[in-house]
Amino acid sequence: MTSGNKGLLISFDGTDSSGKETQSSLLTQRLGSLRRRRVHQFQTPDYSTATGEQLKHLFQDSSSAMSWTDKMKLFAANRAEHRDEVIAAIEHGDIVIYDRYVPSSLTFITIEARSEDPSLSRHTVQEAVAHTEYTENGMPLENVSIFLDMPVNIAAIILKKRKEKLADKDEYTDHIEIQSKLYHEYELLCQARPHHFLRINSLSKGQLRGIADISEAVWREIIKRLPGIES
């Protein structure tokens, strides 16, 4: 059934193991349970595709000589593989939930580019990312990006335990130095665009909040930011 409501795209962004996959799934389930709109969930990188395989190799090879512009285009190409599905859902009035969307590339590619060429400004790099994703590839602009704000040292412990459990190979982006830089870039984005980024603190009184508690915080803030989302 086609909805008369305008479709929405919500992304969860943040450092590794900050809870993006968990919280994006919980919000998808909660919105789906309302049975008012269809809800679609996507994730990038999508390692099931050819470009996803290239990204996996890239992450596991710290000696890769790929330029930041090629990395930017590879991420964008991976995301664009679901473009038609995403656009169709939004045009239908549905809700799209993304685990890592364009804001994740804004932060990561900024770090990669400025490491390769320190003379580059953040503005220059992020303009290039936005142009590639939104203009050249035609990806829809997200209505809101949820930044799950978890201290890097805590996320690093969670990531290590997860990798050991799944026997996943290390990736150069796992290093706390890179994750700290990513966290800083997210902070800057939240400060520069407070009406676009929704920051959810994963700590309460110095203690890590439970999954359900964070999920409730996400829900409270989402219905304030997007008041028509329940209809």
Side-chain angles (χ1 to χ4, degrees):
M1 181 175 68
T2 302
S3 170
N5 293 309
K6 184 179 179 181
L8 296 169
L9 195 159
I10 300 167
S11 71
F12 282 81
D13 298 286
T15 57
D16 287 354
S17 291
S18 59
K20 299 180 298 299
E21 182 178 357
T22 298
Q23 294 302 328
S24 59
S25 294
L26 288 173
L27 182 59
T28 298
Q29 292 167 19
R30 185 161 193 166
L31 288 168
S33 70
L34 296 176
R35 298 184 181 278
R36 292 189 176 93
R37 303 203 214 184
R38 291 175 183 160
V39 187
H40 310 258
Q41 187 175 9
F42 297 92
Q43 179 182 48
T44 49
D46 179 353
Y47 294 124
S48 68
T49 70
T51 58
E53 282 292 322
Q54 292 180 62
L55 283 169
K56 174 64 78 173
H57 290 310
L58 171 67
F59 289 142
Q60 293 176 352
D61 180 11
S62 60
S63 64
S64 172
M66 184 182 290
S67 69
W68 73 267
T69 52
D70 285 341
K71 290 176 184 177
M72 173 185 71
K73 291 173 183 176
L74 183 57
F75 269 99
N78 184 252
R79 194 171 283 114
E81 293 190 69
H82 294 291
R83 177 185 55 213
D84 292 347
E85 298 169 73
V86 171
I87 290 174
I90 292 173
E91 289 179 346
H92 193 267
D94 299 348
I95 298 173
V96 172
I97 308 291
Y98 246 102
D99 170 3
R100 281 202 181 100
Y101 195 56
V102 177
S104 289
S105 285
L106 291 175
T107 57
F108 179 68
I109 299 300
T110 294
I111 291 171
E112 295 289 289
R114 299 186 77 201
S115 174
E116 184 179 321
D117 182 357
S119 70
L120 287 169
S121 69
R122 284 185 176 84
H123 178 75
T124 297
V125 178
Q126 293 178 2
E127 281 289 306
V129 172
H131 180 77
T132 301
E133 297 271 8
Y134 300 126
T135 305
E136 291 185 358
N137 287 1
M139 295 303 293
L141 179 67
E142 66 279 2
N143 295 86
V144 63
S145 168
I146 300 170
F147 170 48
L148 295 175
D149 183 354
M150 180 179 290
V152 174
N153 60 323
I154 296 177
I157 294 171
I158 296 172
L159 177 63
K160 182 179 179 182
K161 290 180 179 178
R162 189 187 76 194
K163 291 245 174 187
E164 289 174 350
K165 181 179 180 180
L166 299 176
D168 278 350
K169 290 183 179 179
D170 286 339
E171 299 175 359
Y172 80 92
T173 55
D174 296 343
H175 299 167
I176 197 164
E177 179 185 357
I178 293 178
Q179 292 299 313
S180 295
K181 289 180 180 179
L182 284 171
Y183 183 91
H184 179 61
E185 294 299 329
Y186 279 116
E187 281 193 307
L188 293 177
L189 285 177
C190 289
Q191 291 166 13
R193 302 170 64 192
H195 298 296
H196 186 77
F197 289 89
L198 184 56
R199 190 171 188 167
I200 302 294
N201 197 329
S202 297
L203 298 185
S204 177
K205 298 179 180 179
Q207 299 296 316
L208 184 62
R209 300 166 76 177
I211 291 173
D213 188 18
I214 294 173
S215 177
E216 283 301 316
V218 168
W219 182 248
R220 286 194 302 269
E221 295 303 320
I222 276 289
I223 60 177
K224 280 193 238 176
R225 187 68 62 92
L226 303 171
I229 198 168
E230 296 178 277
S231 60

